[in-house]
Amino acid sequence: MRRRPVILSNESMGKTRVIAAMSGGVDSAVAAGLLTEAGYDVIGVTMKMYSPTRPPHAKSCCGIDDFDDARRSAALLGIPHYVLDFEETFRRSVIDRFVDDYANGRTPNPCVSCNNFVKLGTLRKYADSVGAPYVATGHYARLEHREDGPHLFRGTHAKDQAYALAQLTPAQLARLLLPLGELDKAATREHARRLGLPVHDKVESQDICFVEGGDYRDVLARARPDILKEGEIVTAAGEVVGNHSGIAGFTVGQRQGLPASTNGPRYVTRIDASTNTVVIGREEELDAGELLAGEVNLIRPERFAQQRTPVLAMVRYRATAAPAYATVRGTTLELQFEQPLKAVSPGQLVAMFDRDGEEALGAATILEAR
């Protein structure tokens, strides 16, 4: 049974101050608008994450036009708006990690890093400095603040973004408000029209914000040219079947860009950074019966008191949540799947939900699939 969030209550919250992260898009603008209508003391903040070197394209974000859209939306809502320079935090916590992951043969998830270290990290510290107990974002997930702590639930439609928030700690979630949790995109755009916001029909950003031009290898070439050095493509048996121009151009499960085969399609099954090799194999070689993960975060730690806790596990954004059994040992998570999963990629987040598939219980970063 879905529970309605309790974050938009005049009676319980009064004029509590909230920092609304405003990217310039429709989601964050409507989140700020709904909080304003609910009686919160809202301050709009746009975070300057990096300095673009070229004009942004239609589906990117973080350009000057986005700053202007956020400013105009805030003005129409009657709330103050500030642009804060978070470039150093973003470079250190998001871009550097992004580059390091690719250098080590992993597939990173920079949006998760941004949520953890920037939006609920540095921005939360700014909120402290201005007496704001909460930070609000335009994510599509549901969050309830209860006496026993925060409870994070999946959103109510296909754009559900609980996966990307599942590595936030209980302390971080306790400071977060998610006004869009019960909405879908069409309803959000309708609220934007009702509020008179100019971004009501703005194209949704889909790319990684700091990847200008859409090719992440440009970022890697500038930061770490050695990541793109040539190496061998081999089979699991060690047979050399081709060459590559950098392990960063591959991810587990990839089929495109591999040497042609007369014996059916082949896929990337493993990336070995220590030898600068890409290992390929048949589709069945992608099957993983279990995984090992680190950087474990438990939102509901009491649910993991027993060995082999039954969960539903999502190994990538938009993946189908699969039945598994979780065992937490200190900072390490072991997951055993009821049925093998394909293309489990080191570096990606694995988010765990209860067996109803509604409540997020925690998450970790995949280290190894086997």
Side-chain angles (χ1 to χ4, degrees):
M1 181 180 70
R2 288 197 173 105
R3 308 168 180 83
R4 295 192 60 82
V6 294
I7 63 173
L8 301 178
S9 168
N10 271 321
E11 295 179 354
S12 63
M13 301 306 294
K15 293 293 288 185
T16 300
R17 178 166 288 179
V18 180
I19 300 300
M22 300 183 70
S23 66
V26 63
D27 296 335
S28 58
V30 170
L34 293 177
L35 290 168
T36 301
E37 286 189 320
Y40 288 80
D41 176 15
V42 180
I43 298 174
V45 168
T46 299
M47 295 170 285
K48 184 176 184 290
M49 306 291 204
Y50 78 106
S51 298
T53 61
R54 65 181 74 173
H57 55 88
K59 292 186 179 181
S60 70
C61 67
C62 302
I64 296 299
D65 290 346
D66 298 294
F67 293 176
D68 288 342
D69 285 341
R71 175 182 54 79
R72 282 193 292 268
S73 293
L76 282 164
L77 294 172
I79 63 174
H81 174 258
Y82 303 97
V83 176
L84 302 183
D85 185 352
F86 285 2
E87 284 196 62
E88 175 58 27
T89 298
F90 190 77
R91 179 196 59 75
R92 184 178 64 252
S93 302
V94 180
I95 299 179
D96 286 355
R97 175 169 177 144
F98 178 85
V99 173
D100 287 345
D101 275 348
Y102 272 117
N104 287 289
R106 299 189 290 262
T107 302
N109 198 323
C111 293
V112 171
S113 299
C114 186
N115 290 332
N116 291 359
F117 300 111
V118 182
K119 293 175 183 174
L120 270 298
T122 304
L123 185 59
R124 186 180 61 166
K125 291 178 182 177
Y126 172 76
D128 290 339
S129 73
V130 296
Y134 295 102
V135 169
T137 70
H139 286 95
Y140 288 89
R142 295 173 293 133
L143 183 60
E144 294 184 12
H145 298 281
R146 303 182 188 172
E147 290 185 0
D148 64 344
H151 290 250
L152 177 66
F153 298 91
R154 299 184 69 172
T156 57
H157 65 105
K159 194 175 165 56
D160 161 57
Q161 293 173 311
Y163 168 88
L165 301 174
Q167 208 168 32
L168 293 176
T169 67
Q172 289 175 311
L173 289 171
R175 301 286 301 278
L176 179 64
L177 298 181
L178 300 174
L180 306 187
E182 295 287 339
L183 304 180
D184 60 19
K185 192 74 177 191
T188 297
R189 291 194 184 279
E190 185 55 38
H191 275 297
R193 294 186 187 94
R194 178 181 62 79
L195 292 166
L197 298 174
V199 293
H200 64 84
D201 59 352
K202 186 173 181 177
V203 176
E204 186 173 13
S205 62
Q206 296 178 351
D207 296 328
I208 300 172
C209 65
F210 58 89
V211 177
E212 301 178 77
D215 191 342
Y216 68 89
R217 288 170 294 188
D218 292 341
V219 175
L220 303 179
R222 291 194 300 269
R224 290 275 302 276
D226 60 293
I227 300 175
L228 302 177
K229 64 184 178 183
E230 294 184 355
E232 295 178 336
I233 300 176
V234 303
T235 66
E239 178 190 359
V240 178
V241 294
N243 296 286
H244 65 77
S245 57
I247 60 173
F250 299 87
T251 188
V252 172
Q254 180 176 326
R255 180 178 173 182
Q256 304 272 330
L258 301 181
S261 171
T262 58
N263 193 24
R266 292 189 285 196
Y267 302 81
V268 175
T269 59
R270 187 165 57 87
I271 299 169
D272 190 337
S274 66
T275 60
N276 194 38
T277 56
V278 175
V279 183
I280 64 174
R282 305 301 174 194
E283 184 175 10
E284 59 269 20
E285 294 178 64
L286 290 173
D287 289 347
E290 59 185 16
L291 65 78
L292 183 70
E295 297 181 310
V296 179
N297 171 63
L298 301 181
I299 300 172
R300 308 305 309 168
E302 72 280 1
R303 302 289 290 272
F304 296 88
Q306 67 184 79
Q307 296 291 313
R308 289 176 53 82
T309 300
V311 299
L312 292 180
M314 287 180 65
V315 296
R316 70 184 65 84
Y317 182 50
R318 299 281 176 91
T320 300
Y325 295 93
T327 300
V328 178
R329 294 188 174 93
T331 59
T332 302
L333 166 71
E334 294 178 8
L335 269 180
Q336 294 182 324
F337 303 111
E338 289 189 358
Q339 299 293 329
L341 295 187
K342 293 188 181 299
V344 178
S345 302
Q348 287 286 287
L349 189 76
V350 54
M352 295 176 290
F353 299 85
D354 62 18
R355 281 296 177 100
D356 292 332
E358 290 287 324
E359 183 170 9
L361 305 179
T365 303
I366 300 171
L367 298 174
E368 178 186 356
R370 52 202 183 193

